[in-house]
Amino acid sequence: MEFHDGILRLYRNPVVLPNRWIFPSHLTTNPEHKEAAIAFNQCTTAVGLLGPMARKLLSGIPAVIDVLSLKVGKRRVPTIVIPPLDDGNPPHVVLRVNLPSTGENWIIDTTGGQYGFREVLLPYHRYISDNECMMVCPPSPCPMTETESLDLISNIPFLISNKEQQVDQMLERQAHILFAAFVKASVDKDILKGSTAVVKDSTERFASG
């Protein structure tokens, strides 16, 4: 990977089949570039994993969670992969949380680092305005299970047309199933209750597994 002329370039070897590794520390010392590399092209995965967990965390709170597919007009740090992925240049996918009781709308974007975005949680209108986003299709329901997005991808021919994509999907499914089991065993709505110190301790224990 290299950063040149304001663009972060990620190089891949299309001959090598996908796998999952700890991020190689020698590639960059810049934490934002590391985050961008890890988050690149992972928005659908993130939504697939976060959707069911968000439902669990917000259980008991009137909320509508849906998925937005966006074209991002303002990319603070554009990230590209070379050679390009054969993925049809998909839109950026985020979660929108609407709280009818207060009229609040929030965006959850855990993979915005690939565009140089720093905030994960932002008010809807601010996110859309600041990042010059355009919705490319009507909102869709939040995934009900951690593997729902993979089930959809498996029915899109150009996303599973070669060995690289097929292996990647197999590895993704295994990871999603493990994450689902972890959320089922370790996450409940009480994780966000209590004092600031209690919530901090709960979330840190969750993050550490």
Side-chain angles (χ1 to χ4, degrees):
M1 60 186 293
E2 66 175 356
F3 183 70
H4 183 63
D5 292 335
I7 298 175
L8 182 63
R9 293 170 171 82
L10 308 178
Y11 296 93
R12 69 185 184 96
N13 185 345
V15 177
V16 178
L17 292 178
N19 210 324
R20 301 296 183 270
W21 309 99
I22 296 175
F23 188 86
S25 59
H26 68 277
L27 291 181
T28 181
T29 58
N30 186 311
E32 293 186 10
H33 292 171
K34 175 182 177 180
E35 181 181 346
I38 292 173
F40 183 79
N41 209 36
Q42 294 298 306
C43 56
T44 301
T45 295
V47 164
L49 294 174
L50 287 174
M53 186 169 70
R55 289 182 186 277
K56 195 170 185 180
L57 289 172
L58 294 173
S59 62
I61 300 175
V64 178
I65 308 173
D66 53 18
V67 178
L68 304 185
S69 298
L70 307 169
K71 284 296 183 184
V72 178
K74 187 176 182 180
R75 306 184 180 198
R76 293 169 178 78
V77 181
T79 303
I80 62 173
V81 65
I82 302 171
L85 295 170
D86 184 20
D87 59 3
N89 189 29
H92 187 51
V93 181
V94 299
L95 286 179
R96 178 176 63 179
V97 180
N98 172 256
L99 304 175
S101 61
T102 63
E104 295 176 74
N105 273 293
W106 296 87
I107 292 291
I108 301 175
D109 181 7
T110 58
T111 60
Q114 63 186 299
Y115 305 123
F117 302 165
R118 305 309 309 153
E119 297 90 350
V120 171
L121 180 67
L122 276 176
Y124 169 79
H125 291 293
R126 178 182 164 191
Y127 180 93
I128 297 297
S129 175
D130 287 358
N131 302 321
E132 299 178 4
C133 295
M134 180 178 67
M135 201 176 303
V136 299
C137 61
S140 58
C142 176
M144 296 297 294
T145 69
E146 286 82 357
T147 59
E148 184 176 317
S149 60
L150 297 177
D151 297 335
L152 293 174
I153 289 174
S154 67
N155 292 315
I156 303 176
F158 74 85
L159 292 180
I160 55 169
S161 61
N162 58 54
K163 185 68 174 179
E164 180 185 12
Q165 293 171 324
Q166 293 165 8
V167 170
D168 189 60
Q169 287 303 301
M170 179 190 69
L171 294 172
E172 278 297 309
R173 185 171 294 276
Q174 293 172 354
H176 282 222
I177 291 172
L178 287 173
F179 185 81
F182 175 67
V183 168
K184 183 177 181 179
S186 305
V187 175
D188 59 51
K189 61 182 180 180
D190 293 333
I191 196 173
L192 299 179
K193 290 184 177 180
S195 66
T196 300
V198 169
V199 171
K200 183 174 184 294
D201 179 66
S202 297
T203 53
E204 286 178 350
R205 283 190 285 109
F206 169 76
S208 65

